[in-house]
Amino acid sequence: MRTMHRLAIATVAATMFLGLAGCAGMSNQDKNTAVGAGVGAVGGAVLTGGSTIGTVGGAAVGGIIGHEVGK
């Protein structure tokens, strides 16, 4: 189970970094939203033991916070 948890976190982190590579044409607020969603997804996965609902919920909350910070 630990291996799956580590794999899930590594996958989310790699996806986040690859996604951020395409942020060159984004506004500052869009970048903050994307970063917030990525960080929230990782945080949600860690706090809930890798559950899908926790990861998606963390991404949603992180995206909203990143969007608001970017204003």
Side-chain angles (χ1 to χ4, degrees), residues 4-16 33-64:
M4 291 296 291
H5 185 252
R6 288 183 182 169
L7 179 63
I9 291 175
T11 301
V12 169
T15 302
M16 182 182 75
T33 302
V35 170
V39 171
V42 171
V46 169
L47 291 175
T48 62
S51 90
T52 303
I53 294 173
T55 303
V56 172
V61 171
I64 292 169

Side-chain angles (χ1 to χ4, degrees), residues 14-36:
T15 302
M16 182 182 75
F17 289 125
L18 288 173
L20 290 176
C23 292
M26 295 177 123
S27 71
N28 198 23
Q29 187 174 17
D30 291 341
K31 289 179 188 177
N32 287 339
T33 302
V35 170

